[in-house]
Amino acid sequence: MKQYDPKTAAKVWDRVQNAAAPLGDAQIVLNLIAEEMVDAAAYARLAKRLPPPQAAIARQISQQEQSHISCLKGIYTLITGRKAIVPPPTVTDDPPEIVLRRCYGREMRCLAQYESRQNDAQYGHIFRKLALQEQEHCHHILELLGALAK
């Protein structure tokens, strides 16, 4: 019987894992990272422009979006074996209502992507959690828009 070589086994296992993840999934994850980066930056900027109660909500959402980015970067690394490289987002000085409307659209796009991946064998549980948080973000955006309309 042949000796078990852990280094060879690790190389084989790496090939199997990388072959199991289609390259399209990696691109989708990169796109999601970019969307989340735009949102995180937009909420952080809004937190500086909104009155205190609304600023706290925007700051909290920005922190959660940073967590989403980290999780997605981890998924990307596991899928590809490489670090995710995404250019930094451009943030505008549009009125808060317009920024929030754009954020709502991005939140809905990310939510749809996360919900469509909830049955993924390796990352489904993470996508479920991200989807729930995106639902909360949509709720908070509407709350912020309502407060600004007063």
Side-chain angles (χ1 to χ4, degrees), residues 29 33 37 68-78 82 84:
V29 173
I33 292 168
M37 287 175 70
H68 294 188
I69 294 163
S70 295
C71 285
L72 292 167
K73 284 182 174 182
I75 290 171
Y76 182 86
T77 299
L78 288 175
R82 297 186 312 268

Side-chain angles (χ1 to χ4, degrees), residues 45 49 91-96 99:
R45 188 158 184 108
R49 299 171 65 197
V91 181
T92 63
D93 279 329
D94 291 325
V99 173

Side-chain angles (χ1 to χ4, degrees), residues 15-125:
R15 279 197 309 268
V16 168
Q17 283 184 314
N18 288 333
L23 292 177
D25 285 350
Q27 186 58 52
I28 289 168
V29 173
L30 280 177
N31 294 345
L32 288 166
I33 292 168
E35 293 270 60
E36 296 284 16
M37 287 175 70
V38 172
D39 275 347
Y43 294 124
R45 188 158 184 108
L46 279 173
K48 296 176 183 174
R49 299 171 65 197
L50 295 173
Q54 289 81 27
I57 293 170
R59 207 172 5 267
Q60 177 188 8
I61 297 172
S62 179
Q63 291 167 349
Q64 289 176 341
E65 296 292 21
Q66 289 293 336
S67 174
H68 294 188
I69 294 163
S70 295
C71 285
L72 292 167
K73 284 182 174 182
I75 290 171
Y76 182 86
T77 299
L78 288 175
I79 290 172
T80 66
R82 297 186 312 268
K83 181 180 175 182
I85 299 172
V86 180
T90 303
V91 181
T92 63
D93 279 329
D94 291 325
E97 293 85 358
I98 292 174
V99 173
L100 288 167
R101 289 177 70 171
R102 289 180 184 147
C103 286
Y104 191 85
R106 282 189 299 274
E107 297 285 1
M108 291 300 293
R109 284 192 298 276
C110 288
L111 174 59
Q113 288 291 325
Y114 297 149
E115 286 180 337
S116 73
R117 286 165 173 68
Q118 289 184 41
N119 294 325
D120 182 270
Q122 286 186 299
Y123 311 111
H125 62 290

